[in-house]
Amino acid sequence: MQNLRRRKPDRPDEVTRAEKSRGERKDNDGEDGGKKKGNGKRWSCIDNCCWLIGLICSIWWLLLFLYKAMPSSLPQYVTEAITGPLPDPPGEKLRKEGLNAKHPVIFVPGIVTAGLELWEGKPCAEDLFRKRLWGGTFGEVYKRPLCWVEHMSLNNETGLDPIGIRVRSVPGLVAADYFAPGYFVWAVLIANLARIGYEEKNMHMASYDWRLSFQHTEVRDHTLSRIKSTIELMVATNGGKKAVIVPHSMGVLYFLHFMKWVEAPAPMGGGGGSDWCAKHIKAVMNIGGPFLGVPKAVPGLLSAEARDIAVARAIAPGVLNNDIFHLQTLQHVMRMTRTWDATMSMIPKGGNSIWGDLDWSPEEGYSPSKKKKDENLTTSGNNEVGPEDPKRKKVNYGRMISFGNDVAEASQSDIKRIDFRGAVKGSNVANTSCRDVWTEYHDMGVGGVKAVADYKAYTADDVLDLLHFVAPKMMARGDAQFSYGIADDLNDPKYQHYKYWSNPLETKLPDAPEMEIFSLYGVGIPTERAYVYRVTPYADCSIPFQINISANVDEEGSCLRDGVFLVDGDETVPVLSSGYMCAKGWRGKTKYNPSGIQTYIREYDHAPPANFLEGRGTQSGAHVDIMGNFALIEDVMRVAAGQTGKDLGGDRVYSDIFKWAEKINLKL
């Protein structure tokens, strides 16, 4: 028996043959084939992450099953027992009023909310033909993450399909009714429209591949041509009644591009002529429109994050910073999303004239705890600029990115900036083995990273130069597809190019004086406006910049939380971007609206659900949840049934949009 016992090693570095064999087997179990050390530890981390993801998914599906298994009347019965009788859904309310389907309705979804399916792929995806890669259950993300990333990415040179891969938009209303099981996008609006007689013959989802630049959707898929034909057909088959267009989020910019494309002569445009919109469109009801871009797009492109991602990384750094599923999570997200040219459509437009400079911004003086105004008193005629609170600490929203909270708060004269634009990019920080995840940061090196941080503070004008510096390949594609300036002379022939068509500050609205344009958006939710950054302490294969979530001001009514300066909006789009054009840029006859199309602002003050049985609520002002807001749905339905903006009561405003718009000095 003594001889059968395992012998202890005589030296610390001695390993028995059996232990060595076990060690080799453990190393060979990993994807690296034993090239990296510590695989046993890393696999333990991966197992934990898989277990956690599986637990979360199981709980979600269980709750969804239980909810669906309940009698349909039970949630309403419990809710009414708590809050009292619920109001009729808008469709039922308007049906009782005698309103019926009249104008055909076209939905234009935004970025990421519409499904994408696989038509051709690599061997790792051979069983996924015509299955959703985006939307639905997202099962392939955790089953085969690297394969999924490869197929969701576009060609980094052309912005079109990679060789051997074809991913296309899902057609029909199902493309964007639900983003995932139980998570509605357009479904509630569709269901309410159906109550007054709408169906697929007079209701259409204009789905498109939201990864592509707007013009490339036509080049590759003829999407703009198909939207034009669909609108013409629906108008013709509905007795000549003009269409009501309902774009959401980035779909607002996409349809703005469409209105210029459809009038422009072929081959660049659709050849419909200057009166096409006047003949075919009754109203454009823009929901959550990022007309002037969103500051949130900047950290998305710079460091593949926004406030929610930054906080999640701080809470669980092993999930996003480490090598989960054998890939550097955020780096692969960045590599993938930087091939999506459409993301560049939402870079802030108008530069410092709109968003402010180092010492000024339109929203300065904003207080998130300020009491809302009475909606009947805040109308388009009440544009007086009131005094700012002298006791409030000034927030420099114009500094869209500040390296350090001290820089964000310092006076302009105290900020010593070293220009990064001519900086020489130094030796590489990362090893060449990181190139597949390092994106263009691999070529910046220590010198380039230091130059970015030494510039200290970036305004909207500076941000464009910053993105050109850190991602020149991406921005070269973006420069060919989009523009972010302000036009001096819209009669200049250069503005006939499609790159200007989605920027409302560089294009004219159609010659359609009877058409109406609405801006419908939520307010009352803190929304990202500017960021405090730091240089990351990580070196190998990491993104060199991060939002500094330790930057906080622990005061009631503070606008700085988790490294992000917040302002009024819908959680994604600030009020300034959603409301400026309809409040001032297009209000009346201006150089951007030469035919004087009537514009209206309809704001929806955010109110969270009273209890969990209300789901995401019927009074939400959040960017996506607003699609279930009963007041918004009613407004859309009334216009579709033949009413006008005047019938709705004109503007309804809770925010300071008119006050902020007056502070922007543009020649109109």
Side-chain angles (χ1 to χ4, degrees):
M1 293 294 292
Q2 182 77 17
N3 293 334
L4 294 177
R5 293 177 183 171
R6 180 177 297 170
R7 179 179 61 87
K8 294 183 179 180
D10 296 330
R11 300 188 308 275
D13 60 342
E14 183 178 351
V15 181
T16 66
R17 181 174 301 174
E19 288 170 333
K20 184 175 181 181
S21 176
R22 284 194 298 271
E24 289 175 352
R25 285 198 301 271
K26 182 186 288 186
D27 285 346
N28 288 332
D29 282 341
E31 284 187 13
D32 298 340
K35 292 181 181 179
K36 294 183 181 179
K37 296 180 180 179
N39 282 350
K41 183 178 180 181
R42 184 170 65 181
W43 268 107
S44 176
C45 176
I46 293 173
D47 289 341
N48 289 337
C49 290
C50 290
W51 178 86
L52 180 61
I53 291 173
L55 178 63
I56 292 171
C57 291
S58 298
I59 293 173
W60 168 255
W61 285 108
L62 177 61
L63 291 174
L64 185 63
F65 171 78
L66 291 175
Y67 184 82
K68 289 182 175 292
M70 287 189 291
S72 60
S73 60
L74 182 59
Q76 181 176 344
Y77 173 80
V78 175
T79 300
E80 290 185 346
I82 298 172
T83 63
L86 294 176
D88 282 336
E92 184 64 20
K93 175 183 175 181
L94 300 190
R95 187 185 65 80
K96 290 178 179 178
E97 290 183 17
L99 272 66
N100 297 303
K102 184 174 182 181
H103 296 274
V105 176
I106 312 292
F107 308 122
V108 186
I111 193 169
V112 309
T113 54
L116 300 175
E117 60 187 17
L118 183 68
W119 280 80
E120 179 184 4
K122 298 297 178 69
C124 66
E126 62 182 357
D127 58 331
L128 298 178
F129 176 67
R130 291 200 65 201
K131 292 185 179 179
R132 289 199 183 196
L133 294 187
W134 190 271
T137 62
F138 285 92
E140 303 309 318
V141 177
Y142 52 84
K143 285 181 183 176
R144 46 188 117 184
L146 288 176
C147 181
W148 180 82
V149 166
E150 180 183 14
H151 285 77
M152 282 299 298
S153 299
L154 294 168
N155 185 289
N156 201 30
E157 300 288 342
T158 65
L160 295 167
D161 291 329
I163 295 175
I165 293 176
R166 284 185 294 147
V167 174
R168 298 293 183 264
S169 61
V170 175
L173 295 176
V174 296
D177 54 354
Y178 288 90
F179 176 65
Y183 193 90
F184 70 82
V185 183
W186 294 89
V188 180
L189 177 56
I190 291 170
N192 277 278
L193 282 165
R195 290 185 181 229
I196 63 170
Y198 279 92
E199 52 188 284
E200 289 202 82
K201 69 180 181 182
N202 52 10
M203 185 167 52
H204 174 74
M205 183 72 70
S207 60
Y208 58 98
D209 189 338
W210 44 260
R211 301 172 302 160
L212 298 173
S213 73
F214 302 157
Q215 193 69 8
H216 274 168
T217 65
E218 174 65 16
V219 170
R220 195 194 72 178
D221 300 335
H222 307 297
T223 304
L224 298 173
S225 293
R226 288 188 287 112
I227 293 174
K228 175 177 180 282
S229 299
T230 299
I231 294 175
E232 291 172 343
L233 177 63
M234 293 181 77
V235 169
T237 56
N238 281 274
K241 298 180 182 68
K242 300 177 186 178
V244 172
I245 315 298
V246 189
H248 173 242
S249 191
M250 192 187 75
V252 168
L253 301 179
Y254 187 66
F255 196 76
L256 192 63
H257 180 98
F258 170 85
M259 287 194 293
K260 294 300 295 183
W261 173 88
V262 75
E263 294 183 342
M268 187 181 295
S274 60
D275 60 349
W276 190 94
C277 291
K279 290 179 177 178
H280 294 90
I281 300 176
K282 166 186 165 53
V284 184
M285 306 197 74
N286 303 288
I287 302 175
F291 289 104
L292 302 180
V294 286
K296 198 173 185 176
V298 177
L301 295 170
L302 183 64
S303 55
E305 61 181 343
R307 182 183 172 220
D308 47 359
I309 297 296
V311 172
R313 174 161 53 190
I315 294 172
V319 176
L320 293 179
N321 289 336
N322 289 345
D323 192 7
I324 303 303
F325 301 124
H326 295 285
L327 61 96
Q328 291 83 4
T329 309
L330 283 182
Q331 288 88 318
H332 273 282
V333 169
M334 174 177 283
R335 186 186 68 167
M336 175 178 69
T337 57
R338 280 191 175 182
T339 69
W340 298 350
D341 287 355
T343 59
M344 289 181 278
S345 72
M346 292 188 290
I347 293 173
K349 301 174 176 67
N352 294 5
S353 297
I354 296 292
W355 298 97
D357 55 28
L358 293 179
D359 276 344
W360 169 85
S361 67
E363 305 105 319
E364 60 186 23
Y366 163 74
S367 172
S369 59
K370 179 173 59 177
K371 186 179 180 181
K372 293 286 187 335
K373 300 175 184 177
D374 186 300
E375 64 174 284
N376 295 321
L377 298 179
T378 310
T379 65
S380 57
N382 186 14
N383 298 344
E384 294 183 6
V385 179
E388 307 293 352
D389 183 356
K391 296 180 181 179
R392 278 201 60 77
K393 191 173 184 179
K394 181 180 178 182
V395 178
N396 298 301
Y397 288 116
R399 303 176 194 181
M400 203 162 280
I401 290 179
S402 301
F403 277 88
N405 194 27
D406 55 335
V407 173
E409 296 178 350
S411 65
Q412 180 177 352
S413 59
D414 292 335
I415 302 175
K416 308 301 180 185
R417 300 199 292 176
I418 301 174
D419 200 341
F420 67 93
R421 293 171 179 86
V424 177
K425 298 181 179 180
S427 60
N428 289 339
V429 177
N431 187 286
T432 54
S433 64
C434 301
R435 181 166 289 276
D436 62 332
V437 293
W438 188 243
T439 67
E440 295 184 73
Y441 279 129
H442 180 84
D443 301 319
M444 281 185 60
V446 175
V449 172
K450 184 177 184 300
V452 169
D454 286 345
Y455 194 67
K456 306 290 186 184
Y458 292 81
T459 64
D461 285 344
D462 298 326
V463 159
L464 285 173
D465 293 334
L466 171 64
L467 292 174
H468 279 91
F469 185 76
V470 302
K473 183 181 293 185
M474 176 190 74
M475 291 303 291
R477 297 196 320 270
D479 288 343
Q481 302 294 330
F482 304 106
S483 182
Y484 313 99
I486 299 173
D488 292 324
D489 180 10
L490 284 169
N491 294 319
D492 189 324
K494 77 174 186 178
Y495 292 112
Q496 297 174 11
H497 192 275
Y498 60 77
K499 67 181 287 184
Y500 301 102
W501 292 348
S502 61
N503 182 357
L505 301 175
E506 293 183 301
T507 191
K508 298 177 185 178
L509 288 177
D511 183 9
E514 295 181 0
M515 193 170 84
E516 294 181 318
I517 294 182
F518 295 79
S519 188
L520 318 174
Y521 55 90
V523 296
I525 308 179
T527 301
E528 297 176 33
R529 177 64 168 81
Y531 303 86
V532 178
Y533 260 78
R534 64 170 182 159
V535 177
T536 176
Y538 300 100
D540 287 345
C541 305
S542 69
I543 297 169
F545 311 113
Q546 291 180 0
I547 296 174
N548 183 5
I549 71 158
S550 65
N552 280 289
V553 175
D554 296 325
E555 298 176 3
E556 184 180 356
S558 169
C559 296
L560 177 60
R561 301 178 200 169
D562 302 318
V564 181
F565 287 99
L566 303 166
V567 76
D568 197 7
D570 69 359
E571 202 171 40
T572 296
V573 185
V575 163
L576 189 67
S577 181
S578 294
Y580 173 77
M581 293 309 298
C582 282
K584 186 177 180 183
W586 290 333
R587 184 64 51 125
K589 284 191 176 183
T590 70
K591 70 177 183 179
Y592 302 118
N593 182 16
S595 68
I597 294 172
Q598 189 70 43
T599 63
Y600 297 97
I601 291 178
R602 303 283 290 176
E603 294 183 344
Y604 305 88
D605 193 14
H606 175 70
N611 58 74
F612 79 96
L613 290 173
E614 286 190 16
R616 288 147 62 196
T618 59
Q619 300 179 67
S620 177
H623 188 64
V624 177
D625 293 355
I626 198 173
M627 302 296 283
N629 184 299
F630 278 10
L632 178 143
I633 292 172
E634 182 176 332
D635 284 349
V636 171
M637 293 182 67
R638 287 188 180 279
V639 172
Q643 295 185 2
T644 66
K646 187 176 291 187
D647 296 328
L648 299 184
D651 297 321
R652 181 180 59 201
V653 177
Y654 297 95
S655 74
D656 288 326
I657 182 57
F658 287 114
K659 170 179 158 183
W660 294 341
E662 284 302 310
K663 293 183 180 181
I664 296 174
N665 186 22
L666 287 187
K667 185 178 179 182
L668 300 175

